[in-house]
Structures are given as C-alpha cells and as structure tokens.
C-alpha cells in the first residue's frame, strides 16, 4: 500500500482537486509505502511504544527544556555550517521508526524517512495553499530552520521571519539568509513571555507553527492573546492537539496518555473555540491528522484568523 493523492486527501480532509502542485509532486517523489501489521508485529509495536514511554517518564515539555533545545539546534547548526545542505537541517528527533501511526492504528513503514517526508507533504499542502498570497511569513518556533528553508525554496520572493527562544536556532536562520536567495531574518522570541521580544507585524502577514506550540502545555493564554493583538491575516498550526484524540480508540488512548505524560499542548483548541464564540477569531479549518511517529499524532491542523 502507499499514500497516493486520494489517500492523502482523505487523511488530511481535503478534496483531491484542491491538492497543491507542490504536494502532488512530493507524493510522487517520495512514494510513501507501508503495510498493515500481523499479530506478532502489532504486539511488537505496542511493546516498543510502551518501552519508549517508560524511558521518557522524566521528560516533560516546558520552560525547563530550553537548554535541551539549544543543544539540539547547535548540532544542526554545526552540520549546516559544514555542508550547507538542507538535509543538515532535519531535526535529530526524526529517527527511523519501523512502526508508525496511520489512520488510527499502527502500520509498518516501507520507505525511508517516512515520518519526516509525510510532514513535508503536509506542509506542501496546508502551508503552500494558505500562504501563496501572503507577503510576510512568521514561523513561531523555527528550530533548525528546515521549515523556512523548504518554504523559501517554494516562495523565494516572500519575507520569512524565524522566531525562537534558542540563540542557536537564530544563528541557523541568519546562515540561511546568507546561503539562500531569499529574504530571511531571525529574532529571539519566547512563547511563555511573548511581549518581552516584541516585533512589528506588517499587513498581509501569517503566523505558522510546526510542532512548536506542543511545548506550551496548558500555558497558551499569553501566546493566543499576543497573536490576537498582532492580527496576522492567517494562522496555520500543525500541532498535536489534545482535544482531537478519541480515548475509545486504542492507538488514540495510548497517544493521549503519551501526550499527557510529556505535558504537550493542552486546552489550545478549546480556548480558540471559546474565543470564536466571543467573536474574537474565526476558525477556518480544524482536522485531526491521523499520522505520526509511533507515540502520537504530531501535526493535526488548525487554521484560524483574528478578527
């Protein structure tokens, strides 16, 4: 089996006719193949997941993890300095996983870098489709810079601003500005204290995130208020969304427990819904993307705009 245009469109909740050219090109290039598991493999997958969860009991997202991210992005910075290849920007947490989450169960990957490539296809759909008419793109939590590098290759005439609390991440963004024919800049920015590193948001701007807000846990009020005050034209979040899991489904139940164990993003969607009722924002699209590494669905999609 493989993820073709129809399968991908069904997974992400859009019509095949609305797939972007960039998305279709990557689906063809990556040729993502997988198969369902037999009984022994399914049990092995569960064992692998639970062992991984137990080994990470001491790891919780939040403000105390800043040093961890500095170390991780420093590795990407050093790799990129040496070879100046976009492949050097792939975060270290993307490792080969024999078993992956897909369509609310577990399957066996038959393609290399399956999870990372799926993410790139997902971005080629939702980012490209929603940013094509945007002039200024702010990535909140730019990390290793791989998202901005990909988008700048597609949209070389747009302005990209990478925001992160890691100094090493900003160094990567500055190197991208030198090495790519694109307008790229970086600035220190802390989700937990967004007003400490303020910046101007010009008209026709977008805010995007990819697996970055997950670090907020339930402390998302300040960043939501910050975004509402800045009034970007559109916000595109690809994040693990606590409220989207179905605890009556086995794989979702396991993922939800992992999500809680790691203190990942919680109450974000609930708060957006509440603010929408108050007339402060409009949610344009919200979809649980049933795909991820073996522990959780990392990139469900919410698209919204301040009013």
């Amino acid at each position: 089996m493989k993820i073709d245009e129809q399968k991908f469109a069904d997974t992400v909740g859009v019509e095949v006719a609305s797939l972007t050219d960039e998305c279709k090109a990557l689906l063809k290039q990556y040729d993502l193949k997988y198969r369902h598991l037999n009984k022994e493999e399914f049990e092995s997958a569960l064992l692998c997941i639970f062992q991984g969860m137990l080994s990470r009991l001491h790891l919780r997202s939040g403000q105390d993890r800043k040093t961890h991210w500095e170390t991780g992005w420093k590795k990407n910075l050093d790799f990129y300095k040496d070879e100046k290849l976009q492949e050097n920007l792939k975060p270290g947490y993307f490792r080969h996983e024999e078993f992956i989450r897909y369509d609310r169960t577990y399957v066996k990957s038959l393609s290399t870098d399956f999870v990372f490539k799926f993410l790139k296809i997902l971005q080629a759909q939702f980012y490209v489709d929603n940013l094509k008419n945007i002039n200024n793109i702010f990535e909140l939590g730019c990390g290793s810079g791989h998202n901005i590098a990909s988008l700048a290759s597609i949209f070389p005439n747009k302005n990209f601003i990478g925001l992160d609390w890691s100094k090493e991440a900003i160094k990567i963004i500055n190197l991208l500005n030198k090495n790519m024919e694109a307008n790229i800049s970086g600035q220190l920015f802390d989700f937990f204290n967004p007003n400490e590193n303020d910046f101007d948001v010009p008209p026709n701007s977008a805010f995007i995130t990819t697996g970055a807000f997950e670090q907020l846990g339930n402390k998302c009020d300040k960043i939501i208020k910050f975004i509402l005050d800045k009034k970007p034209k559109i916000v595109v979040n690809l994040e693990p969304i606590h409220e989207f899991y179905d605890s009556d489904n086995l794989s979702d139940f396991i993922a939800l427990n992992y999500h809680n164990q790691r203190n990942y993003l919680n109450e974000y969607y609930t708060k957006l819904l509440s603010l929408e009722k108050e007339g402060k924002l409009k949610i344009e699209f919200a979809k649980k993307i049933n795909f991820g590494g073996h522990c959780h669905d990392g990139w469900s999609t919410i698209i919204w705009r301040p009013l």
Side-chain angles (χ1 to χ4, degrees):
M1 304 180 71
K2 76 172 185 178
I3 301 181
D4 57 14
E5 290 184 10
Q6 185 63 62
K7 186 67 173 175
F8 180 79
D10 291 343
T11 299
V12 304
V14 301
E15 298 295 326
V16 171
S18 70
L19 294 179
T20 66
D21 291 341
E22 291 80 5
C23 173
K24 291 187 285 188
L26 287 183
L27 281 166
K28 183 176 181 180
Q29 176 186 339
Y30 290 155
D31 194 29
L32 295 182
K33 296 179 180 178
Y34 67 96
R35 66 170 174 79
H36 292 294
L37 307 181
N38 59 39
K39 180 178 180 295
E40 290 75 17
E41 289 172 329
F42 183 77
E43 292 177 351
S44 180
L46 291 181
L47 178 61
C48 180
I49 292 164
F50 288 129
Q51 287 176 334
M53 290 174 67
L54 287 173
S55 70
R56 299 183 181 96
L57 282 175
H58 63 292
L59 298 178
R60 288 177 62 81
S61 65
Q63 292 166 285
D64 295 339
R65 296 278 286 167
K66 184 177 181 180
T67 301
H68 166 84
W69 294 112
E70 290 284 12
T71 301
W73 303 144
K74 177 66 163 57
K75 292 179 181 178
N76 284 109
L77 174 63
D78 291 341
F79 291 150
Y80 185 67
K81 277 182 178 178
D82 290 340
E83 299 180 351
K84 296 180 176 60
L85 300 174
Q86 285 197 27
E87 301 92 278
N88 303 139
L89 301 175
K90 185 176 78 170
Y93 52 73
F94 284 103
R95 297 176 290 272
H96 172 72
E97 294 184 350
E98 183 178 3
F99 305 115
I100 57 177
R101 293 172 52 81
Y102 187 49
D103 204 15
R104 304 181 75 208
T105 188
Y106 305 102
V107 300
K108 182 177 177 61
S109 166
L110 301 178
S111 301
T112 59
D113 285 335
F114 199 112
V115 175
F116 186 68
K117 288 175 179 176
F118 184 94
L119 171 61
K120 288 302 170 186
I121 297 170
L122 187 70
Q123 291 176 330
Q125 176 58 31
F126 286 115
Y127 281 166
V128 171
D129 187 46
N130 288 280
L131 303 178
K132 58 181 178 290
N133 297 318
I134 295 292
N135 293 334
N136 313 289
I137 300 168
F138 293 79
E139 184 181 12
L140 280 64
C142 58
S144 70
H146 71 99
N147 301 316
I148 284 181
S150 297
L151 286 171
S153 297
I154 298 171
F155 299 125
N157 296 320
K158 297 185 185 297
N159 300 315
F160 294 90
I161 303 92
L163 304 163
D164 205 284
W165 65 353
S166 164
K167 294 179 181 179
E168 302 299 326
I170 302 306
K171 290 178 184 177
I172 295 174
I173 295 299
N174 291 334
L175 272 180
L176 286 175
N177 184 52
K178 292 180 180 179
N179 296 332
M180 297 186 68
E181 294 183 2
N183 186 9
I184 301 172
S185 61
Q187 178 176 317
L188 288 171
F189 182 73
D190 183 352
F191 294 164
F192 296 97
N193 300 288
N195 292 306
E196 288 186 2
N197 297 97
D198 202 1
F199 54 86
D200 293 328
V201 177
N204 201 29
S205 294
F207 284 5
I208 65 173
T209 73
T210 298
F213 276 8
E214 71 177 22
Q215 296 297 309
L216 284 165
N218 63 1
K219 297 180 179 179
C220 51
D221 294 277
K222 288 183 180 180
I223 194 66
I224 293 175
K225 183 179 184 305
F226 181 86
I227 296 172
L228 290 174
D229 290 343
K230 292 299 181 182
K231 291 192 178 299
K233 187 173 183 179
I234 196 78
V235 181
V236 185
N237 299 129
L238 306 182
E239 299 286 347
I241 303 299
H242 181 277
E243 296 93 326
F244 287 178
Y245 288 113
D246 176 8
S247 60
D248 290 329
N249 171 265
L250 175 61
S251 64
D252 270 18
F253 178 81
I254 294 171
L256 180 58
N257 278 271
Y258 178 78
H259 187 111
N260 292 335
Q261 173 186 309
R262 294 299 302 271
N263 190 38
Y264 284 156
L265 187 63
N266 194 356
E267 300 181 9
Y268 181 71
Y269 184 57
T270 299
K271 290 175 180 178
L272 292 185
L273 288 173
S274 178
L275 289 165
E276 183 176 46
K277 288 182 179 179
E278 295 177 22
K280 295 182 178 180
L281 60 86
K282 172 66 176 176
I283 299 173
E284 303 287 355
F285 182 87
K287 170 70 175 175
K288 181 179 186 292
I289 307 298
N290 292 306
F291 180 88
H294 61 243
C295 283
H296 72 142
D297 296 332
W299 308 296
S300 287
T301 302
I302 302 175
I303 302 170
W304 60 281
R305 57 184 174 85
L307 298 177

